[in-house]
Amino acid sequence: MQINDLRSQLTGPVFVPGDPGYDEERATFNLNTPLTPAVVAAAASPGDVQLAVRFAAANGLAVAVRGGGHLQPRAGEGQLLLTLDRMTSVHVDAERAVARVTGSPRWQEVLAAAGPHGLAPMNGSSPTVGVVGYLLGGGVSPVLSRPHGYASDQITSIDVVTADGRLRTATPTDETDLFFALRGSRGNLGVVTAVEFRLLPVRTVYAGGLWFAGERVAEVLPAWRDFAATLPDAATTSVAVQRLPDLPDLPEPLRGAFVVHVRYSYVGPAGEGERLLAPMRALGATVLDTVAEVPYTGSAMIHHDPPLPLPYFDRSLGLRELPDAALAVLTGIAGPRSDCPLTSIEIRALGGALDRAPETPDAVPSRGLAFQLFALGIAGPAAAAPMHGHLAGVITGMTPWAHPRRMVNFVSPEEALTPGELRDVYGPELYDRIVAVKEKHDPDNLFRINHNIVRN
C-alpha cells in the first residue's frame, strides 16, 4: 500500500512533510521534543487505526501515537504517527458511575461530563493531560489516589489495536494478558482506541496550596515531611521548590516568584481537612493561601500546572525516604544561596492505597514507593546543556535516598533508554512478565517510539 492508497482508504486525513497541517498534527506539549514522522495518519475511527497500523507494518515503519495532552512518544524520525483527536468522545453513564472515552480526550472533558452528576474521575494534576496516556502509565491523582489507588485501578475495559491490525477488547476476563500489561506499560502493546473506567462519588474537596517565600525552604521542607507522615489516607500532599515564570495564568503574587509550594487535599468534611492542615498553617506568613472547600471540577488549582505547550527539560527519581540529610542536600541545590534555574523541584508523598495491590494484577511498578521526585526546567534548546547539568545535579544529589522504582508517567525522554535501565524501573520480575506479553502481541516491535520494553 502506498501513501495515496492510505489516503483513499482512511476516513481521516493523511499528512506527509510539507503538507499544510503537517506541523500542527505532529505538535507535542513539550516544544523541545519535536516529532518528524514520515507520515501522519489522523484517525477518525478505530477502523482508521487498524488500516494505519497495517500500513506501517507492511512498510517497515514504527508506529508512534500522539494521544493528546502531555504524553508524547520518544522523539524520532521516519515513523508513522497516529493522532486520535478526530475520534475523541466522552460518555458518562451516571447510573453505573463509569465513563467511556474514545480517541484522545483531555481530563477537562471528563471532568465537565462527570461533574454535573456528582462524580469524579481520578485525573492528574493538570486537566489538559490526555486521558488514555495517563491511564496507561498508572496515573496518580493529587486528590483521590491515596484514598483509592492508581487511576488505572479503576479501568474496566480497554479497546486496543495490536500489531496484527486486530481490534481487541481487554478486560479482567478477556484478553487478560493484555489487560494486565497495558495498565502500566504505556504505549508498548498497541494503539488504545477506547477505555472504560469507574468514577467516584465526590462533589467537593478541601484543597488548594500554601506558597511560602523561597527563602524559608530549609524550614518548610522538614515541616512538610513531618506533616505528610501524620496524614490519613483521605489526605494527599506534595511540595515543590519553585522559581516561577512571569505568566499571566498565575495569580499576581506568584508571577516571577521564588516560593515553596505546599499542595494539599482532603476528601471529607472541610472542618476536618482544615484541622489536619493546621501544622503547616502554623508556620506563619504565606505568599498565598488558596486552601478551601472547592468543587472537585476545580481541583486543577491545587498544582496550577501550565495549561499551554511550552519548552521544558525534566528528570525524575523515586525516593525511599527523606531524612534530614536529604532535605539539606535539596536545600543546597535549590535554596536561596544556589544558582538553580529550575522552574520546579517537586516531591509527592505517596502511600495509602497506592501501596495496595489492585483487584486485578497490573504492570504498575511503583506500589510501595514512599516519594516521587520530579524536576522541571522551562527553557528552549539553546539552554539544553546547562539545564541538563542542573537536572543531573538534582538526581545525583538525591541518589543516596533513591529507590530503583519510579512512576512511569514521570520518566523523561532522557531517562531509562536501555532495556537494562528500564528493567530497573519496573523490577526484573514485572519487566519479564511485560516482555512476554510484548513478544506475543508485538513480536516485531512495531510500537517502539516510547520507553521500549524489550528483552535484554
Side-chain angles (χ1 to χ4, degrees):
M1 186 188 297
Q2 301 302 311
I3 290 291
N4 287 338
D5 297 322
L6 184 65
R7 280 196 168 109
S8 68
Q9 294 186 37
L10 248 66
T11 307
V14 174
F15 304 89
V16 296
D19 283 350
Y22 171 85
D23 287 340
E24 290 78 8
E25 205 68 25
R26 68 189 178 104
T28 61
F29 187 85
N30 184 351
L31 302 180
N32 285 338
T33 56
L35 299 170
T36 54
V39 56
V40 183
S45 69
D48 279 358
V49 174
Q50 291 177 273
L51 283 166
V53 168
R54 289 172 183 151
F55 173 86
N59 288 275
L61 299 174
V63 175
V65 181
R66 183 181 62 73
H70 300 190
L71 176 68
Q72 76 263 340
R74 182 190 301 187
E77 298 182 357
Q79 71 267 33
L80 181 143
L81 175 66
L82 265 164
T83 62
L84 307 178
D85 295 318
R86 289 167 179 79
M87 55 182 285
T88 291
S89 68
V90 175
H91 174 71
V92 168
D93 184 333
E95 289 189 8
R96 294 174 56 223
V98 298
R100 178 178 172 83
V101 302
T102 64
S104 58
R106 279 56 163 174
W107 279 113
Q108 58 197 8
E109 298 168 64
V110 183
L111 287 163
H117 303 287
L119 297 171
M122 289 186 61
N123 57 289
S125 60
S126 171
T128 64
V129 165
V131 173
V132 174
Y134 167 92
L135 290 173
L136 296 183
V140 173
S141 165
V143 178
L144 298 174
S145 277
R146 276 177 46 85
H148 298 285
Y150 284 90
S152 58
D153 296 350
Q154 304 302 323
I155 294 175
T156 56
S157 72
I158 304 172
D159 291 354
V160 58
V161 175
T162 47
D164 56 6
R166 287 184 56 190
L167 177 62
R168 305 168 187 265
T169 299
T171 73
T173 56
D174 296 300
E175 303 280 7
T176 55
D177 58 342
L178 281 171
F179 192 69
F180 150 71
L182 282 165
R183 295 172 300 135
S185 65
R186 302 223 291 194
N188 268 276
L189 297 169
V191 183
V192 171
T193 60
V195 181
E196 183 180 274
F197 51 90
R198 290 181 289 265
L199 302 169
L200 300 170
V202 179
R203 286 187 180 273
T204 63
V205 294
Y206 185 75
L210 302 176
W211 285 264
F212 296 91
E215 288 74 18
R216 299 179 64 190
V217 62
E219 171 193 7
V220 175
L221 287 181
W224 171 82
R225 176 204 56 200
D226 296 345
F227 159 73
T230 69
L231 295 177
D233 291 358
T236 303
T237 189
S238 63
V239 68
V241 182
Q242 298 179 320
R243 288 168 169 82
L244 295 170
D246 186 1
L247 295 175
D249 55 283
L250 289 172
E252 179 63 39
L254 303 181
R255 296 177 189 174
F258 172 40
V259 292
V260 185
H261 180 192
V262 173
R263 295 82 166 259
Y264 174 75
S265 68
Y266 178 73
V267 182
E272 178 62 10
E274 184 175 21
R275 184 191 69 78
L276 290 167
L277 183 62
M280 293 310 298
R281 282 197 166 130
L283 293 181
T286 58
V287 176
L288 185 65
D289 180 343
T290 65
V291 184
E293 188 171 24
V294 296
Y296 182 83
T297 52
S299 57
M301 50 78 73
I302 299 172
H303 279 238
H304 270 294
D305 287 345
L308 299 174
L310 72 170
Y312 62 91
F313 302 95
D314 60 270
R315 292 289 304 273
S316 68
L317 193 68
L319 297 171
R320 66 181 189 277
E321 60 180 345
L322 273 180
D324 289 344
L327 296 180
V329 167
L330 185 58
T331 297
I333 290 170
R337 295 182 177 85
S338 74
D339 61 350
C340 180
L342 300 177
T343 306
S344 180
I345 303 174
E346 169 192 83
I347 299 175
R348 298 193 184 198
L350 306 177
L354 290 166
D355 290 346
R356 297 197 283 270
E359 184 178 321
T360 305
D362 66 10
V364 173
S366 44
R367 297 180 196 276
L369 185 66
F371 301 95
Q372 173 69 50
L373 180 146
F374 179 71
L376 170 81
I378 297 176
M387 277 295 173
H388 284 312
H390 283 282
L391 288 165
V394 174
I395 300 304
T396 300
M398 298 301 288
T399 292
W401 303 280
H403 192 291
R405 308 284 183 91
R406 72 185 91 163
M407 292 183 180
V408 294
N409 276 349
F410 286 92
V411 179
S412 83
E414 288 79 31
E415 296 174 325
L417 297 181
T418 69
E421 291 168 342
L422 198 54
R423 185 182 176 90
D424 288 342
V425 170
Y426 281 91
E429 181 179 352
L430 181 57
Y431 188 82
D432 288 345
R433 288 188 63 194
I434 302 169
V435 166
V437 182
K438 170 79 169 177
E439 291 178 343
K440 174 183 175 182
H441 290 286
D442 185 16
D444 298 321
N445 200 16
L446 192 68
F447 303 106
R448 59 182 181 270
I449 309 299
N450 46 41
H451 284 91
N452 198 209
I453 297 175
V454 293
R455 195 171 298 280
N456 282 1

